[in-house]
Amino acid sequence: MAILSPVFLTPQNLTNVGTQAAVVAILAFGQTFVIVSAGIDLSVGSVAALSAIVTGYGASNLGLPAWIAILLGLATGLAAGVVNGILISYGRLPAFIATMAMLSVARGLALVLSNGIPVKVPAEVAFFGSTLGGWLPVPLVIMVVLGVLAAFILNRTYVGRCMYAIGGNEEAARLSGINVGRQKLIIYGLSATFAAVAGLVLAGRLASGQPQAAAGYELDAIAAVVIGGASLAGGTGRAFGTFVGALVLAVIRNGLNLLNVSSFWQQVVIGIVIALAVLTDTLRRKSK
């Protein structure tokens, strides 16, 4: 990209790449927890939109203080994740079906609360889309902080070890004494909470809560995790790999924009990259 476009390596454009990657990366960090445990969460994009709408609705329509409205938005994300976990762990629904249902429910609730129009968010949420010192994007800072948090959870906590154990062999994890049902509640709760943060960051960038925001972002999040080296079969994956995967997607989109490539062809290129990433993962596992 640097060879094809002299603008690509400029500080301003590289900052843009990081900012563009932020929302997908934050969603993908939460998705990493789920995929490492051999699950899938298709609801993160809708949960992100619902959390932003709830925050804006709480501040604008209910007159709540901004910090309470933000906590309400984050709690909404957590609640959606816990519901996913209950349906999967105790309702015995496949993760694909449970989270696809939540995708529809969360998007519908976002449309109901907003009447299908953008909702004003408080200045504290708009700050999430601003810059520090006029040059450092706040979304970039939040992305790095949550990336470090995700890495800590995966590598340094009991919950993280349970994720790898469940993804490696769920029955063996259960026999070893892990409460798989409870851990899945935590895993899907974490994924949805990260999605809620991503929704607030996106609302800050858009300066409003958009009921149709983050549509399709769940696919980008899954792609970032897989491109970053995680296996959809579970048991493997790292936060840093997910970060790299999100940057890869952002770099491709940014570079193609600089080259004036049609957005339609961009979708084709992204699809090919995802297919190659999954194919590489499959061949790698077969060779072991």
Side-chain angles (χ1 to χ4, degrees), residues 223-249:
V225 178
V226 173
I227 292 171
S231 170
L232 290 174
T236 61
R238 294 187 306 153
F240 181 73
T242 295
F243 171 68
V244 172
L247 282 183
V248 167
L249 293 175

Side-chain angles (χ1 to χ4, degrees), residues 1-17 20 247-248 250-259:
M1 291 300 179
I3 293 172
L4 294 174
S5 173
V7 180
F8 182 76
L9 286 181
T10 59
Q12 181 179 0
N13 187 63
L14 292 178
T15 301
N16 288 338
V17 170
Q20 291 166 8
L247 282 183
V248 167
V251 164
I252 291 173
R253 285 203 170 94
N254 177 266
L256 294 177
N257 282 333
L258 292 177
L259 298 175

Side-chain angles (χ1 to χ4, degrees), residues 49-66:
L50 176 60
S51 298
I53 292 295
V54 167
T55 300
Y57 184 88
S60 301
N61 295 57
L62 302 181
L64 298 175

Side-chain angles (χ1 to χ4, degrees), residues 84-123:
N84 281 337
I86 291 173
L87 292 175
I88 294 164
S89 298
Y90 304 107
R92 301 299 179 186
L93 289 182
F96 182 89
I97 299 300
T99 58
M100 184 169 62
M102 182 57 70
L103 177 153
S104 180
V105 170
R107 186 68 66 181
L109 288 174
L111 290 166
V112 168
L113 286 175
S114 65
N115 288 318
I117 60 176
V119 175
K120 181 182 178 182
V121 295

Side-chain angles (χ1 to χ4, degrees), residues 30-284:
Q31 190 77 243
T32 303
F33 302 141
V34 177
I35 290 179
V36 164
S37 61
I40 199 77
D41 190 348
L42 299 178
S43 67
V44 292
S46 296
V47 170
L50 176 60
S51 298
I53 292 295
V54 167
T55 300
Y57 184 88
S60 301
N61 295 57
L62 302 181
L64 298 175
W67 68 273
I68 294 180
I70 290 172
L71 288 179
L72 183 61
L74 295 176
T76 299
L78 175 60
V82 170
V83 171
N84 281 337
I86 291 173
L87 292 175
I88 294 164
S89 298
Y90 304 107
R92 301 299 179 186
L93 289 182
F96 182 89
I97 299 300
T99 58
M100 184 169 62
M102 182 57 70
L103 177 153
S104 180
V105 170
R107 186 68 66 181
L109 288 174
L111 290 166
V112 168
L113 286 175
S114 65
N115 288 318
I117 60 176
V119 175
K120 181 182 178 182
V121 295
E124 287 80 357
V125 174
F127 169 76
F128 294 151
S130 64
T131 58
L132 297 174
W135 64 275
L136 180 60
V138 174
L140 196 59
V141 175
I142 296 174
M143 175 183 68
V144 172
V145 170
L146 291 186
V148 172
L149 176 61
F152 177 79
I153 292 172
L154 284 168
N155 299 324
R156 301 291 181 181
T157 67
Y158 174 74
V159 173
R161 291 192 293 272
C162 289
M163 292 176 190
Y164 286 106
I166 294 169
N169 189 316
E170 182 172 326
E171 186 59 27
R174 183 176 287 107
L175 293 174
S176 69
I178 293 174
N179 188 327
V180 173
R182 184 174 63 191
Q183 292 303 319
K184 285 188 176 181
L185 288 181
I186 296 172
I187 290 166
Y188 282 90
L190 282 171
S191 174
T193 303
F194 272 63
V197 176
L200 294 179
V201 171
L202 185 57
R205 291 190 60 193
L206 298 174
S208 63
Q210 304 275 351
Q212 295 290 4
Y217 277 37
E218 56 276 351
L219 301 181
D220 281 359
I222 294 169
V225 178
V226 173
I227 292 171
S231 170
L232 290 174
T236 61
R238 294 187 306 153
F240 181 73
T242 295
F243 171 68
V244 172
L247 282 183
V248 167
L249 293 175
V251 164
I252 291 173
R253 285 203 170 94
N254 177 266
L256 294 177
N257 282 333
L258 292 177
L259 298 175
N260 294 318
V261 175
S262 164
S263 60
F264 304 140
W265 279 109
Q266 290 184 32
Q267 293 299 315
V268 174
V269 173
I270 294 293
I272 292 173
V273 170
I274 294 170
L276 289 175
V278 176
L279 178 61
T280 301
D281 170 61
T282 302
L283 295 175
R284 184 177 66 246

